[in-house]
Amino acid sequence: MRSVKRPIAALLALALLLPLGACSLLVPPRRSETDPPAAASTPAGTAPGTSSAVPAETTAETTVETTAETTAETTAATTAETTAATEPPDPAGFLARQEDGSYLICRAEDDAADPADSLDAVELAVSGRTVFLASNVMTFDGAASGYARHAVLRAFDLNTGKQIGSARFNGDLSWSAAAEDGCFYAAAGVAASDETGAAGVFRWDPARRQARILFEIPARPDGAFFSPDGTWAAFVYGADGCVRLYDLPGGSCREIPLDGVGEIWDVQPCGGTFALNAYVDNHSAILTWDAEAERLVEPDVDEAFYLRENGWLCVDNLDCRAFRPANGGALSLIRTEDSLLSLSGDYALFYRYDYADDVLAASLLDLRSGLAAPALTALDGEELGFSDFFASPEGWFLLLRRYTDAFELDLLSPAESDFTEREEFRLLFRSESGDLDAACAELAAGLEDRFGVEILYGPDGNDFDAFDYLGRPLNGGLANFLALTDLSESLSFWPEGFFADVTEYCRGLRLYLCSTLYCVSDSGIDSAAALTFSSNGYECVVFDASYPIVGNLPHEFMHVIDARIESMPAEDQPDWFAAWDAVMPDYIRAEYADSYTVWPDDDYTYWYASDEVWFIDTYAKTWAKEDRARTLEHLMQFYRDPASESCFEIENLALKARFLCFMLRNVLPCCADFEGELPWEAAVGVPDPAEFAEVMEQAGTVVPVG
């Protein structure tokens, strides 16, 4: 267990369908005294015609007491072997291979030392064929305290299905690792906050098939790393602000002082060394261990990154995620709506849950190529009680699933999976050097050439004069690249010629990308996701990139279209704004507050009104221009996601939407002769000009042709 256990609520479900390259270990829970006896000869779930498993060769379970009085390996070994209590062979320590290729872990009914209500450590040897399972147990010992805590370790060979060793030791196991030579290392004992008891580092040796105490430590650490070659370990103790390096197996200790570090947590393997999270000079930082210089260093990474398992750094930005190793290397940006479970090697494990069908599907993603492979599918998730996951640095994933009557451990191997292009995943960007500044400049220049707009980001992203509104700049190349990527996708929805049309009567369109828009006066909204204004002959749109640009851009572009309408020559042009008002009854037009400071009520709104609906929400009632903007925003939302709920099933809202579509076909030359549906017409269809002849006449205008 390389970090504290991470429970994931209702992730995995029953009826596993395993792909090639995956196997599962099914662990039945310990039966109670009231349960009927189980068949001793054949494990539950063994298919008819399948021979039962061969019992494991006899392995005495070794009790390891963490009471060594010296840190010398020889003395510790002598103590461990002297206190070892030989126990009867474990008749149920084997794996039964079933027809589907999965494994069933069998145990004796009275095996109180290894209850199935917890598996606190799961490790896989580098070969991928030896699995270690450990459980922390509390039992009544009759002493003054009444209870004692200990842990039980079992090792299984997946090639033979046999248990190859087991051990029991005092205290809770908290951190563990499987070394390259097949040994299992762990720190166990009491926590640093406990006043009694001891803690130690132990090793399970596959050759000797027993656990041996290597040396004592002050207390069970809050974080630990064991080197892959089994020659050293690094322990941290929460608020100590230092790292203790131990030589293995001898136990000599070197304390590494860290200037300015107040607290350390979450130690993770990282390319043969380790990385950790820490508070440094009153800010959260990621540190990596430089083994050659024997010091911790703070890598030059974007502040948005956070540390994940196996030394990966991640950033979640809505449906886009960024990945890079903490000790340097390639950067990958992935577009997906799936949820991240774990990272191992150059692979990520994602999942998505279909609540309608109660189905969960997991996928392995190659971060280098963006290709994905199905990992598993689980059904009927209501019977799932608990799940957890583990990942080895070598590229294996282990998923633990607890059912009402069993444990199942699934081993997923990327090397044996079939990776293909999948629509759920899209590789947006891959840089071996991670140079995002150059990537941002190239992407922005390409968008400007393609759409004829001006894009300002980074230190220029908040350099605007928009009444009483200010914005903070986007910090870091990653934040700017994600914003530009979001903008690129948002601009691609608009028809050819659109940007030339909206800038026909102005000097151009400027798009600003910043962070945290806010108002410094009482005349506006406290905070805004985006805003539009005119400045020096330019139409300007500012986006707070912490919100999805793809959703806010249609709203702001409607304001830009309104500005075009106001700038069009008055001759032979209908009064489109008067016509918009004429679509609604007089008492509905009176609902507009014509203010951002006097907030309207919920009357006649889609989300609150139960009878007569004319507005999508209260914001649409502030001004007629916001009503039109809200309408175009939701029309484009339906175009992007036709399966989403549509407010335009309400006839009054559909009527206003059809008129808006009719208006856009007349004020934008690129839309006048467009054949078929324009993107924003997907929800209501192509408008019929005859439907609005009376409205235009009431507004004192003529019905435009087309």
Side-chain angles (χ1 to χ4, degrees):
M1 179 166 53
R2 296 182 172 83
S3 62
V4 293
K5 186 166 59 179
R6 304 178 181 88
I8 302 174
L11 289 183
L12 302 175
L14 284 174
L16 181 67
L17 303 178
L18 289 171
L20 181 66
C23 63
S24 65
L25 309 175
L26 190 61
V27 187
R30 179 169 56 89
R31 295 177 179 273
S32 66
E33 295 180 357
T34 58
D35 289 338
S41 58
T42 304
T46 302
T50 303
S51 60
S52 59
V54 179
E57 57 186 271
T58 301
T59 57
E61 183 161 292
T62 303
T63 301
V64 180
E65 303 289 343
T66 57
T67 57
E69 297 180 357
T70 175
T71 60
E73 178 187 10
T74 55
T75 305
T78 301
T79 303
E81 293 171 4
T82 301
T83 60
T86 302
E87 299 182 359
D90 180 359
F94 60 86
L95 305 182
R97 188 174 178 84
Q98 302 184 89
E99 286 186 342
D100 64 357
S102 65
Y103 292 94
L104 182 72
I105 295 184
C106 303
R107 291 181 311 197
E109 285 183 45
D110 58 351
D111 188 1
D114 193 8
D117 59 354
S118 69
L119 279 177
D120 298 285
V122 179
E123 299 290 349
L124 194 68
V126 176
S127 65
R129 305 313 301 170
T130 302
V131 64
F132 300 94
L133 306 178
S135 298
N136 292 326
V137 185
M138 178 178 285
T139 57
F140 184 77
D141 64 359
S145 63
Y147 291 91
R149 299 191 66 86
H150 62 275
V152 174
L153 169 71
R154 298 184 188 278
F156 292 93
D157 185 335
L158 297 183
N159 289 321
T160 64
K162 294 181 180 181
Q163 177 175 302
I164 58 176
S166 62
R168 180 185 294 147
F169 50 94
N170 287 349
D172 286 345
L173 181 147
S174 57
W175 302 90
S176 62
E180 295 169 350
D181 59 2
C183 290
F184 176 88
Y185 290 85
V190 300
S193 58
D194 294 340
E195 296 181 357
T196 61
V201 174
F202 83 96
R203 177 180 65 190
W204 183 86
D205 189 334
R208 305 182 65 172
R209 296 187 177 179
Q210 62 183 201
R212 303 172 61 199
I213 294 177
L214 299 182
F215 52 86
E216 286 188 348
I217 53 178
R220 193 177 76 236
D222 297 312
F225 166 78
F226 294 91
S227 67
D229 61 3
T231 61
W232 61 280
F235 294 171
V236 297
Y237 290 90
D240 279 4
C242 70
V243 175
R244 293 179 174 88
L245 298 181
Y246 288 92
D247 291 325
L248 300 178
S252 60
C253 177
R254 290 174 294 161
E255 188 170 298
I256 309 298
L258 304 175
D259 295 335
V261 176
E263 185 177 354
I264 301 174
W265 73 99
D266 197 17
V267 180
Q268 293 290 341
C270 181
T273 180
F274 65 92
L276 48 82
N277 276 319
Y279 281 118
V280 180
D281 296 329
N282 298 319
H283 74 279
S284 180
I286 297 167
L287 304 176
T288 60
W289 176 250
D290 186 334
E292 293 185 1
E294 292 194 342
R295 64 187 181 92
L296 284 167
V297 297
E298 186 172 356
D300 183 17
V301 297
D302 194 287
E303 62 182 17
F305 278 107
Y306 61 93
L307 182 65
R308 287 289 302 244
E309 60 273 14
N310 295 315
W312 277 98
L313 302 182
C314 301
V315 172
D316 291 324
N317 183 279
L318 304 173
D319 60 345
C320 182
R321 292 171 175 83
F323 305 92
R324 61 156 292 181
N327 58 349
L331 172 72
S332 297
L333 271 66
I334 305 294
R335 175 82 74 188
T336 182
E337 295 182 357
D338 287 15
S339 299
L340 177 65
L341 259 182
S342 187
L343 291 144
S344 175
D346 289 309
Y347 302 92
L349 181 63
F350 286 88
Y351 77 95
R352 68 167 55 198
Y353 191 80
D354 185 341
Y355 290 94
D357 298 328
D358 199 16
V359 174
L360 179 142
S363 301
L364 287 175
L365 177 70
D366 188 332
L367 296 174
R368 298 163 298 184
S369 64
L371 301 179
L376 57 87
T377 302
L379 308 174
D380 194 11
E382 292 181 355
E383 296 192 30
L384 177 65
F386 169 81
S387 63
D388 205 346
F389 63 90
F390 305 88
S392 69
E394 297 76 33
W396 285 78
F397 292 92
L398 302 97
L399 294 174
L400 175 66
R401 299 187 291 165
R402 182 191 179 195
Y403 305 118
T404 54
D405 60 352
F407 273 117
E408 194 158 0
L409 183 66
D410 303 299
L411 279 67
L412 307 176
S413 170
E416 300 176 12
S417 301
D418 184 18
F419 288 87
T420 59
E421 290 187 4
R422 298 268 299 279
E423 63 179 9
E424 303 98 315
F425 302 95
R426 183 157 63 93
L427 180 63
L428 298 177
F429 177 72
R430 171 78 177 180
S431 170
E432 297 300 324
S433 65
D435 187 354
L436 277 175
D437 291 337
C440 287
E442 181 179 352
L443 179 54
L447 294 176
E448 290 178 335
D449 291 342
R450 178 182 174 187
F451 298 105
V453 298
E454 185 178 350
I455 300 173
L456 300 101
Y457 65 95
D460 298 323
N462 69 330
D463 186 16
F464 55 81
D465 183 10
F467 311 111
D468 296 325
Y469 284 91
L470 300 175
R472 296 186 175 91
L474 286 171
N475 293 322
L478 179 61
N480 283 284
F481 188 88
L482 291 174
L484 288 166
T485 301
D486 196 1
L487 179 63
S488 174
E489 183 174 342
S490 305
L491 296 176
S492 65
F493 291 120
W494 301 85
E496 185 176 357
F498 173 83
F499 295 96
D501 287 350
V502 296
T503 57
E504 182 179 359
Y505 301 107
C506 66
R507 297 177 62 186
L509 179 61
R510 286 177 171 171
L511 305 178
Y512 292 83
L513 303 178
C514 70
S515 173
T516 315
L517 274 171
Y518 58 98
C519 186
V520 294
S521 73
D522 297 330
S523 62
I525 303 171
D526 291 341
S527 62
L531 60 89
T532 300
F533 62 96
S534 299
S535 177
N536 297 322
Y538 289 91
E539 291 303 316
C540 304
V541 182
V542 182
F543 296 101
D544 180 344
S546 61
Y547 295 94
I549 295 175
V550 70
N552 293 321
L553 186 141
H555 185 109
E556 302 307 320
F557 274 13
M558 188 64 237
H559 293 322
V560 175
I561 295 171
D562 278 354
R564 171 190 165 83
I565 293 174
E566 292 175 340
S567 301
M568 292 170 63
E571 299 82 5
D572 301 324
Q573 286 296 324
D575 186 345
W576 289 106
F577 299 151
W580 171 266
D581 290 343
V583 172
M584 297 168 282
D586 291 343
Y587 65 92
I588 295 298
R589 289 198 299 272
E591 290 291 316
Y592 287 131
D594 293 339
S595 172
Y596 289 120
T597 56
V598 179
W599 207 253
D601 55 34
D602 298 326
D603 295 347
Y604 307 108
T605 61
Y606 175 72
W607 300 110
Y608 295 98
S610 58
D611 44 11
E612 189 176 6
V613 176
W614 281 95
F615 303 96
I616 293 175
D617 57 16
T618 54
Y619 191 61
K621 296 177 65 176
T622 56
W623 300 83
K625 61 181 179 180
E626 297 297 352
D627 193 9
R628 290 189 292 273
R630 229 13 163 206
T631 301
L632 184 59
E633 174 187 339
H634 281 259
L635 285 172
M636 289 297 287
Q637 177 181 321
F638 183 84
Y639 169 73
R640 297 191 311 272
D641 184 13
S644 63
E645 179 182 357
S646 174
C647 61
F648 301 110
E649 294 178 359
I650 304 297
E651 175 52 32
N652 290 337
L653 297 181
L655 172 65
K656 293 165 69 176
R658 290 195 299 271
F659 179 80
L660 183 66
C661 294
F662 166 68
M663 182 176 73
L664 294 182
R665 280 187 173 260
N666 283 273
V667 301
L668 297 175
C670 68
C671 302
D673 299 322
F674 192 90
E675 296 183 4
E677 290 181 348
L678 289 156
W680 50 80
E681 295 173 347
V684 295
V686 178
D688 180 5
E691 179 182 10
F692 302 107
E694 184 176 347
V695 167
M696 301 298 289
E697 188 173 327
Q698 289 178 0
T701 63
V702 297
V703 180
V705 178

